Amino acid sequence: MGSERTRTLLSAATVHVTGRPLSLYATSVLRIGYGLLYLVFLLREFPHRHEIWGPGSPWTPALAAQLSDQTGWYSFLLLSDDRAYFELCYGTALVASALFMLGWRTRVTSLVFAVVVTSFHSRSIFMTDGGDNLVLLMSLYLVLTACGRRWSLDARRERRKAVRAAGAAARAKRPGRTARQLRDARVTLTTVVHNCGVFVIAAQVCFLYGSAGLYKVQGSYWADGTALHYVLHLELFQPWPALSQLLDHYPLAIAAISYLTVLTQVAFPFVLFGRLKYPVLALLLALHVGIAVVLGLPVFSGAMIIADAVFLPDRFYTSLPRLGRRTARRLGVRLPRPRGEARHGAVPPQVEPETPGSALR
């Protein structure tokens, strides 16, 4: 009886992993979010690029090379000390981030984006605020996923290709048995790799929250609710000193936020499979927005907010257009009619055609 149940569970898990790619919209949100975040990060630091990553940085190329030999991280910025070469690399990073965000040839640009983030991170690992650590990990994980299948230029191109191929499908010669088997094997392999990548991303976020919460539990400042009081008095984390002083005048609120932070982070991995995850995600969103504004860590907060998007189901993202249209109608704003809606009424939604060549971009 037990062995039969085990076989049934293993069979169901195999079908779940190999049957279809999961969280396509969520991974697309991660692609757009991290591409945009890193693009804004590079543009924000453009006036200071030479002091952070250039040959004239206090963290010299020699020091970076020594650290790279110890850590094993690669950086193409260390190939030359020439200023023109650095400017070329910086421009390449900007273009790669923009193309990755737009989802153009995602299988290639995702790899280029990962190399860019890795190179800039390992070049001056101590010159940034540490918020790019998670961006580095996610850029590597997203290479494995089908993050270009939704809301991307690749998806738009595949839709047009499917429409053109629909008319010639009847005249096309059916592929042979070997060709079909190779195509099915490729689709299955890319589906498994994508689903494993999504699992790794989710596990990484759970580990971050769980370890952070358990680490806070061990500290006496978090236990007595005074940790935020001391954080608000650190000059390094005071972009708005008046705001920090104002918040420090409410010790009861600071204690409540401290306890709520620890509770939310510790409970996060245990509420993912129930409805409690939605209020927990909302609390984490408010927490990260507060960190970005009060403590001046926008890159870290943005990276965490984008990572949390992997836990929202695809039906949430597909319902956003309907919610936007409904809100616009309530506000009296007239929007253009959707593509799937006829001039004299709505037609049933059509299933998006997929071609064998579109497997997991």
Side-chain angles (χ1 to χ4, degrees), residues 73 110 114-115 118 135-145:
W73 289 106
S110 62
V115 173
T118 303
V135 181
L136 168 65
L137 295 175
M138 292 301 173
S139 67
L140 297 175
Y141 299 152
L142 286 174
V143 174
L144 306 175
T145 66

Side-chain angles (χ1 to χ4, degrees), residues 66-87:
Q66 293 180 15
L67 184 62
S68 179
D69 293 338
Q70 298 177 12
T71 60
W73 289 106
Y74 168 80
S75 176
F76 56 70
L77 294 173
L78 299 177
L79 296 178
S80 175
D81 294 341
D82 185 66
R83 184 177 293 271
Y85 174 76
F86 170 74
E87 298 294 348

Side-chain angles (χ1 to χ4, degrees), residues 28 31-33 35-36 39 96-104 151-152:
S28 298
R31 184 202 79 240
I32 297 171
L36 177 61
L39 177 63
S97 300
L99 293 180
F100 179 66
M101 176 189 66
L102 296 174
W104 183 80
W151 293 342
S152 66

